[in-house]
Amino acid sequence: MNGQTALITGASSGIGAAIAAELAARGTQLILVARSENALNQLADTLAARHGQRPVVIAADLAETGCGARLLQAVQARGLTVDILVNNAGFGTYGAFEALEPEIEQAQIAVNIAAVVDLCHAFIPGMLARGRGRVLNIASTAAFQPGPYLAVYAATKAFVLSFSEALWAEYRGRGVHVAALCPGAVDTGFIDKLGDPGVRKTAVFSRTLDVATVARGAIAALAGSAPSRVVGLRNWALAQAPRVSPRAMVAKMGAGMMRPR
């Protein structure tokens, strides 16, 4: 990945910032994308001090329609091409579905699904024309089963996993590798933004991965050849269980594990 250019969404904190650090250490030119330009500039300054190359910063709201075309235009205006696309931006909501704000649920679908598709549409054609490229879409172990009280979030990640594996199959042999990364709960600000302190006491969020482990998994997924990668042996085992269990039972177990206290 040395000398290549990677665009990372949701790069201002958490998993995105950790992936940026891993890639910067490997000599990758970075394009950092998120809503907060100040946070992006702080990260860019830190990475420049450590590695001698300052990332490009582009502030963008991925909930807006047409974000992919605008980002492509912004990248091209800077004379850059994207060799590696990391679709990391996303957020979740927690609680009884009827109690959640419809507007926020729609924004979640826009960022977690529509933006991923839009950015793939924007940057994959160029990769195919050049005969090389890599795309990593951040999914979750929530993609493997329904997620009561995380209903929309889990459904969006199921989409990301299915979409990524489909593109992986389409582009095999054409020089473009597409993969989904599926971590379990990660100790980042994502959990606090769910808005309920009690969520950390649930079975799902009481044990978390550290962000550095997830970032190393992201590098392995980009460098590998598999269509998806689950981070952590325990998480891998838990992800396989729903595939051989009755779906009703899986959904009921999920409700018991995630029910607000």
Side-chain angles (χ1 to χ4, degrees):
M1 301 177 195
N2 183 29
Q4 296 189 20
T5 299
L7 186 151
I8 307 170
T9 68
S12 58
S13 62
I15 295 173
I19 294 174
E22 287 286 341
L23 286 171
R26 288 163 170 78
T28 307
Q29 169 68 53
L30 300 178
I31 303 170
L32 306 179
V33 177
R35 288 187 301 173
S36 174
E37 189 170 6
N38 288 337
L40 289 176
N41 278 317
Q42 289 175 11
L43 176 60
D45 290 342
T46 298
L47 295 177
R50 289 178 184 172
H51 305 291
Q53 182 170 275
R54 194 179 196 279
V56 173
V57 166
I58 301 176
D61 186 352
L62 299 187
E64 295 178 354
T65 303
C67 60
R70 285 192 295 275
L71 272 176
L72 177 61
Q73 185 177 35
V75 168
Q76 291 175 335
R78 290 164 171 81
L80 299 172
T81 58
V82 171
D83 305 297
I84 301 168
L85 171 63
V86 179
N87 281 312
N88 165 72
F91 70 95
T93 50
Y94 172 69
F97 176 73
E98 77 279 3
L100 299 173
E101 293 292 334
E103 295 81 3
I104 296 177
E105 298 293 88
Q106 291 299 319
Q108 184 180 182
I109 294 168
V111 175
N112 293 11
I113 293 179
V116 172
V117 175
D118 208 18
L119 267 71
C120 285
H121 267 306
F123 291 102
I124 286 178
M127 295 178 182
L128 291 169
R130 294 186 295 273
R132 62 182 176 87
R134 308 180 204 192
V135 178
L136 182 67
N137 298 323
I138 307 302
S140 166
T141 51
F144 294 95
Q145 65 276 311
Y149 305 105
L150 289 167
V152 172
Y153 175 77
T156 65
K157 293 306 180 179
F159 176 94
V160 171
L161 177 60
S162 176
F163 175 66
S164 302
E165 291 179 333
L167 294 190
W168 171 86
E170 285 191 37
Y171 298 132
R172 289 185 67 200
R174 298 181 65 186
V176 177
H177 171 58
V178 181
L181 186 73
C182 301
V186 187
D187 192 10
T188 68
F190 172 91
I191 301 175
D192 297 325
K193 290 176 182 177
L194 290 174
D196 185 341
V199 74
R200 287 187 178 271
K201 297 179 181 180
T202 63
V204 172
F205 289 99
S206 61
R207 297 178 63 176
T208 58
L209 294 164
D210 67 272
V211 71
T213 298
V214 178
R216 289 192 294 271
I219 300 301
L222 280 168
S225 59
S228 60
R229 182 181 183 90
V230 177
V231 182
L233 182 60
R234 175 177 176 271
N235 288 328
W236 180 87
L238 291 172
Q240 307 315 307
R243 293 179 167 179
V244 296
S245 304
R247 292 186 65 81
M249 182 181 75
V250 172
K252 287 190 289 186
M253 288 180 63
M257 295 170 68
M258 287 303 300
R259 184 172 288 111
R261 295 172 182 269

